[in-house]
Amino acid sequence: MTGRTKSFRRAYCVFLLAGTGLGLTVPTAAAFAQEQAGAPDAASSGGLEEIVVTAQKREQNLQETPIAVSAISADKVEQLGIQESRDLSGLAPNVTIMQPTTNNTAAVISIRGIPTPADENFGLDTSNALYVDGVYMARSAATSFEVLDISRVEVLRGPQGTLFGRNTTGGAISFITRDPSDSFHLTAQGGYGNYNAWNGKLILDPGDFHGLRTSFAYSHSQRDGVFDNITQPDDSKDPGARKSDSARFALMLPLGDTGSIRYAFDWTRIAGHVSPFQLTNVADGTPRAPILGVNAVQQAPVQQYLAGVTFTDPRCAALAAPRRAYRHDLCQNTDGLTTDKIWGHTLRVENEFGDVKIKLTTGWRMWRNRIRGTDLDGLGEFSGPMFSNATLFNGMPASLLSFIPTLNPPLAPAGTAAFIASQPVPRTTQGLFDTSNNRKQDQVSQEVEVSGRSDQLDWVVGGFYFWEEGSEQNLQNSGFVLDTNQVFLGNFGALGPAFAAANPARYRLVVTRSLLTYRSVSESTALYGQATFYPGGRAGPFNITVGGRYTWDNKQMTRTQNGAAPLPTPERGEASFSKFTWNIMAGYRAAEGINLYARAATGYRSGGFNARDDSIVGTTKLPSFKPESVTSYEIGAKTELFDRHVRLNVAAYYNNFSNLAVTVPVARATPGTFGTIVTNAGKVRYAGIEVEGQAVLNDNFSIDGSFGYVNVDYKQFLVPTSGAVGAPLVNIGSIVHPGYTSPYTANIAANAQFPIGGGDTKVRARVGYTYESAKYSFSHIITTPFNEQLKSDPRNLIDAQLGIEGLPIGGGTGEVKLWVKNLTNSHDFVRAVDFGQLGYGGGIYGDPRTYGVTFGMKF
């Protein structure tokens, strides 16, 4: 254990003891019970219910909160089957969440045009934060797992640099779970669907026991694959198959009537096979001219090579033809099993001392990921010619080889040339690209908040500490197609054409097994404060909020291998960053039910290291990149009209982004190869609008929906013209596209409910439509030549639910629900990978139509 780790452990213990001590300073009284009150039903109450959020570290009416935030209630969470972050895609304006390529818990979250990095190495932080009960989840590769017992979800759009801190330049998603009840409750659910999908969930609240309240939850789900890998006879191992188990235990001890101690433990294990990569484009090796004066990546002639290979399974030959079309049947040459384990502890201690409240939140989380092998070419296994320097002349005529001095006496034994001429070109049996991984991450966070309120002031001050350690062992097995005629023509002078004409295997596969191994440690500390002033008192129409936060970050990385062999000397990097972020908001109640606001805020995404960057020339030092920063300006209106039967919220924003961390092309000295580095190169402007609405039409019908638009304008995107040291920089902003961003998002849903019988039984139905316009997966065609061809399809998804709830069963109630996702069975190309110099690209299609039935009971 390192000295840094030991000191951290001591600090962590001190925080725990301090938090517990604070909670116990108030004498306990009789058991304090506060039942979790469900929101009143909108239709039955005649209007829209009030929504309470905690986006500003205190409870507020959503309509009076001067920021853009979407709130999803427990009722809607249950109705839509929301379990994890990916289920939120499209439900809030300008928010999309893309599925993973190699492991089941990864997600690319994009808010207002700013995505989290698709590269999941530990040196790159996210730009959109995920929180569960106030605990920050640091890794984008571990941000989509089942959250049990959800009370509500808040989606905050725009920089949250003051109260939520770093790495929220786009926004934040916050899951809030339910507190244990003081009375007995039991909820049981089970269901079955197509693709042999079945699930079960159990939530138990035993009730109050000498002032102590607890809750227990367990969930299991599994399904067979939704695609058919024809080389795999077991449907449970096909792409899209997964098996998930989640458990949660929560404990709450009230401290008189002024506070509580709350502890929660959660655990999730997901084993499955991710959606398959499908080949859509291959290159023929045609040379590419410079673009805007920048050397373009040169692609390998994959098309010609694949034309001559032999597939291990003959059925894969037809499926290997590259095309942009959905395929249910496909070939994979690796098992593709990925296993994720995520677990953690959360301790929250809060107490009120008159008008002052103190709250401590401690989080300790762990993630383990093992990927046994992911096929990222979609071809299956084939056999084809393999390249090595030692076998370059195999199969060439002896008459030609006689002109090579090193193959003839006196430099070589007699008969060497004849022997080499008799040898065949070696072959390899594999695919073009597969990868495996072994990752682990541990993090601990501690936050202290002190808040208070008076007739004219709300205020909060706090401190935040975060520590993280991560490691990765990423093995990549790739094949680069080499046109060996170019070797002969470029190096053998007058003999070159003759060798090219006699070449027994012009196109050969250079097989590379590369291992990336490193360890990363990061530490962050912050102090913050925010105050809201009500000049005319809380009943007055005006309020103004001012806040600020100062953050100190330290990053360290040690790399021991970045290629075929371990490094003789480990490469290291250490960098420190600091940033002050601020927030100013003004609110005005123009009339009853009409609130206007204006906001200016800044955000900060920490700098760091790209684990795949080359070390600084001549040293063993790893290069770092600087932090990103954003300044955002926003105006909005939140309205409730027609006696709270209509809610309409609108916002318009303009973001000024600087020091954008981007992938920059770098040409290598070796012909036909190419690389990238991460550097700060960009200045970007984001402008957009957002609309959210709900309307209760009558006691039986309501509608809700949203619309978002974002325009991303790259003012500056600097790249070097070549890989040479000191090469001039060129602004290629005119050809750059935002990655993983839908310019347009929309959703609309119709809801209906009808009472049946004489009790609380009712029929509920919902039909929802979600639209996400097409996305680019990469920035420009210099490094990713197929970027235009690999643009995703626009998504047009229809989901529906129909159920009966409130059925009397013994001393409780029952429910049955029919559901369907992707009703029209839309086959959408949703995420792409362009392998640049390797000469091919493809991607992933979304799930086909799924449907099922769920039964439930509540006591």
Side-chain angles (χ1 to χ4, degrees):
M1 184 180 293
T2 65
R4 179 182 296 274
T5 304
K6 289 179 180 177
S7 62
F8 162 72
R9 303 290 188 202
R10 289 194 294 269
Y12 178 56
C13 292
V14 169
F15 272 122
L16 284 177
L17 291 172
T20 306
L22 169 68
L24 295 177
T25 56
V26 175
T28 60
F32 169 67
Q34 182 179 2
E35 190 71 45
Q36 290 291 320
D41 186 271
S44 62
S45 64
L48 292 162
E49 74 275 9
E50 179 180 316
I51 300 176
V52 176
V53 297
T54 53
Q56 294 197 93
K57 303 285 188 178
R58 66 180 188 273
E59 291 188 350
Q60 285 181 286
N61 184 332
L62 171 69
Q63 296 303 102
E64 297 173 358
T65 306
I67 60 174
V69 55
S70 301
I72 302 172
S73 67
D75 181 67
K76 190 172 182 179
V77 165
E78 182 175 356
Q79 185 181 24
L80 299 184
I82 295 172
Q83 297 178 327
E84 56 187 63
S85 62
R86 288 201 301 267
D87 296 331
L88 302 172
S89 187
L91 293 182
N94 286 328
V95 176
T96 62
I97 305 175
M98 296 183 67
Q99 63 192 70
T101 55
T102 58
N103 75 297
N104 283 303
T105 59
V108 178
I109 302 171
S110 178
I111 302 179
R112 289 187 170 180
I114 301 174
T116 56
D119 189 332
E120 297 165 359
N121 80 71
F122 288 99
L124 300 171
D125 285 345
T126 66
S127 49
N128 299 296
L130 179 77
Y131 291 83
V132 177
D133 289 332
V135 175
Y136 171 59
M137 308 289 159
R139 292 295 112 206
S140 63
T143 53
S144 194
F145 57 94
E146 184 171 6
V147 181
L148 288 170
D149 229 354
I150 299 171
S151 175
R152 69 180 181 279
V153 184
E154 298 177 10
V155 182
L156 291 73
R157 303 185 301 279
Q160 308 297 321
T162 299
L163 296 182
F164 286 86
R166 66 187 188 128
N167 304 333
T168 57
T169 49
I173 296 175
S174 178
F175 283 83
I176 297 97
T177 62
R178 183 183 61 86
D179 287 337
S181 173
D182 67 342
S183 59
F184 176 84
H185 290 285
L186 175 64
T187 300
Q189 287 183 344
Y192 186 79
N194 61 335
Y195 298 105
N196 195 29
W198 63 274
N199 63 84
K201 181 186 293 185
L202 185 70
I203 302 174
L204 171 65
D205 287 57
D208 186 278
F209 180 75
H210 297 291
L212 186 66
R213 307 172 193 172
T214 57
S215 67
F216 305 85
Y218 172 74
S219 173
H220 173 85
S221 64
Q222 66 181 65
R223 75 175 186 185
D224 290 343
V226 296
F227 297 85
D228 184 20
N229 176 12
I230 64 173
T231 67
Q232 171 56 257
D234 189 345
D235 291 346
S236 68
K237 296 181 180 179
D238 273 335
R242 59 184 289 176
K243 184 180 293 184
S244 174
D245 290 276
S246 298
R248 180 176 181 272
F249 166 71
L251 176 153
M252 191 168 108
L253 177 66
L255 302 173
D257 57 358
T258 59
S260 65
I261 298 175
R262 184 181 188 268
Y263 165 79
F265 168 76
D266 67 273
W267 173 89
T268 296
R269 181 185 185 274
I270 304 174
H273 306 259
V274 295
S275 296
F277 179 95
Q278 302 193 32
L279 188 70
T280 62
N281 299 86
V282 295
D284 61 6
T286 300
R288 300 180 69 225
I291 300 172
L292 298 181
V294 179
N295 289 347
V297 64
Q298 302 302 316
Q299 297 172 286
V302 175
Q303 178 179 306
Q304 293 91 320
Y305 183 79
L306 291 180
V309 303
T310 301
F311 285 89
T312 304
D313 188 328
R315 296 174 297 171
C316 295
L319 297 174
R323 57 176 180 161
R324 176 70 175 263
Y326 174 86
R327 301 172 183 172
H328 176 263
D329 298 335
L330 43 86
C331 290
Q332 291 188 315
N333 61 293
T334 59
D335 178 77
L337 178 66
T338 173
T339 303
D340 292 272
K341 297 179 182 178
I342 299 175
W343 70 99
H345 308 264
T346 302
L347 176 66
R348 186 183 71 204
V349 183
E350 56 186 332
N351 226 328
E352 294 180 3
F353 302 87
D355 291 332
V356 176
K357 179 179 180 180
I358 300 179
K359 176 177 168 182
L360 299 114
T361 303
T362 302
W364 180 16
R365 302 203 59 83
M366 288 133 284
W367 169 55
R368 302 293 183 265
N369 168 242
R370 184 174 183 181
I371 301 172
R372 196 156 68 190
T374 300
D375 184 332
L376 288 177
D377 56 49
L379 292 170
E381 188 178 75
F382 57 77
S383 174
M386 182 177 71
F387 173 83
S388 71
N389 287 320
T391 61
L392 176 63
F393 296 107
N394 282 20
M396 288 290 184
S399 57
L400 273 178
L401 297 180
S402 65
F403 291 102
I404 307 298
T406 56
L407 302 181
N408 294 278
L411 299 179
T416 297
F419 174 78
I420 292 175
S422 68
Q423 297 302 301
V425 174
R427 297 177 71 84
T428 182
T429 301
Q430 62 174 76
L432 285 179
F433 195 99
D434 62 81
T435 182
S436 59
N437 215 330
N438 192 352
R439 293 179 284 187
K440 61 182 295 185
Q441 183 246 8
D442 296 89
Q443 67 168 67
V444 177
S445 60
Q446 177 69 61
E447 185 167 10
V448 181
E449 299 174 32
V450 182
S451 60
R453 59 179 292 159
S454 64
D455 290 341
Q456 291 187 302
L457 188 68
D458 286 324
W459 58 270
V460 59
V461 295
F464 176 78
Y465 175 79
F466 175 83
W467 175 90
E468 177 191 23
E469 181 177 45
S471 63
E472 180 174 13
Q473 294 177 307
N474 179 208
L475 176 64
Q476 295 184 350
N477 179 36
S478 63
F480 175 77
V481 178
L482 179 66
D483 181 354
T484 56
N485 276 2
Q486 299 303 315
V487 177
F488 294 123
L489 295 173
N491 295 278
F492 288 85
L495 292 174
F499 275 113
N503 194 344
R506 175 176 177 178
Y507 302 102
R508 309 184 194 185
L509 199 67
V510 181
V511 178
T512 302
R513 290 178 62 84
S514 176
L515 180 65
L516 172 67
T517 303
Y518 67 92
R519 172 179 173 270
S520 176
V521 176
S522 65
E523 197 169 15
S524 181
T525 307
L527 296 173
Y528 64 86
Q530 180 168 293
T532 300
F533 177 58
Y534 305 88
R538 294 181 181 275
F542 292 100
N543 66 77
I544 185 167
T545 300
V546 178
R549 185 185 189 107
Y550 205 96
T551 302
W552 298 265
D553 287 333
N554 179 266
K555 300 283 188 72
Q556 300 177 36
M557 181 173 286
T558 301
R559 187 169 65 195
T560 55
Q561 187 167 345
N562 189 28
L567 296 166
T569 303
E571 298 171 331
R572 294 184 170 86
E574 181 172 4
S576 294
F577 315 98
S578 61
K579 183 72 174 180
F580 176 73
T581 51
W582 51 265
N583 176 46
I584 300 176
M585 298 181 290
Y588 174 61
R589 188 171 64 252
E592 184 65 29
I594 301 177
N595 295 286
L596 310 178
Y597 72 90
R599 179 176 188 251
T602 59
Y604 156 73
R605 177 182 166 198
S606 179
F609 300 92
N610 178 13
R612 293 175 175 82
D613 279 358
D614 289 338
S615 59
I616 298 174
V617 177
T619 74
T620 59
K621 184 178 179 180
L622 297 174
S624 64
F625 55 88
K626 299 176 183 178
E628 302 174 344
S629 61
V630 60
T631 302
S632 175
Y633 306 93
E634 180 179 333
I635 57 173
K638 297 188 174 186
T639 66
E640 286 183 339
L641 308 171
F642 306 107
D643 194 23
R644 293 182 64 183
H645 279 66
V646 173
R647 177 179 293 142
L648 182 65
N649 297 342
V650 298
Y653 60 90
Y654 176 83
N655 294 349
N656 186 358
F657 215 112
S658 61
N659 271 341
L660 182 68
V662 296
T663 300
V664 176
V666 178
R668 304 299 188 195
T670 305
T673 63
F674 198 80
T676 61
I677 63 173
V678 174
T679 189
N680 297 94
K683 292 183 178 179
V684 193
R685 306 292 184 266
Y686 300 77
I689 58 173
E690 297 167 344
V691 181
E692 288 187 283
Q694 296 172 276
V696 175
L697 305 180
N698 54 39
D699 288 346
N700 303 115
F701 295 101
S702 65
I703 58 173
D704 57 77
S706 69
F707 170 80
Y709 168 73
V710 59
N711 177 64
V712 184
D713 183 13
Y714 283 83
K715 296 296 185 182
Q716 186 182 74
F717 197 107
L718 299 176
V719 300
T721 55
S722 71
V725 177
L729 299 177
V730 175
N731 182 12
I732 63 168
S734 61
I735 64 169
V736 173
H737 302 284
Y740 304 106
T741 295
S742 291
Y744 295 93
T745 61
N747 78 79
I748 187 168
N751 308 277
Q753 64 175 21
F754 297 91
I756 56 176
D760 295 329
T761 306
K762 59 185 174 183
V763 176
R764 295 184 66 187
R766 177 182 173 91
V767 178
Y769 166 74
T770 299
Y771 173 76
E772 298 175 9
S773 59
K775 310 175 186 67
Y776 287 96
S777 288
F778 301 94
S779 296
H780 53 79
I781 60 173
I782 294 177
T783 56
T784 52
F786 293 129
N787 198 36
E788 291 292 337
Q789 296 95 316
L790 292 176
K791 188 177 182 180
S792 79
D793 294 328
R795 302 219 73 185
N796 294 274
L797 297 179
I798 298 176
D799 299 340
Q801 303 86 33
L802 172 65
I804 302 176
E805 59 185 46
L807 293 166
I809 299 179
T813 60
E815 63 180 2
V816 58
K817 180 174 72 175
L818 302 173
W819 59 267
V820 59
K821 294 184 178 182
N822 189 7
L823 177 65
T824 60
N825 202 26
S826 178
H827 298 313
D828 299 329
F829 186 75
V830 296
R831 185 171 178 182
V833 180
D834 187 331
F835 285 90
Q837 63 169 340
L838 296 184
Y840 69 96
I844 296 170
Y845 284 82
D847 280 359
R849 176 173 52 232
T850 56
Y851 53 86
V853 58
T854 301
F855 301 93
M857 294 183 295
K858 296 180 180 181
F859 297 94

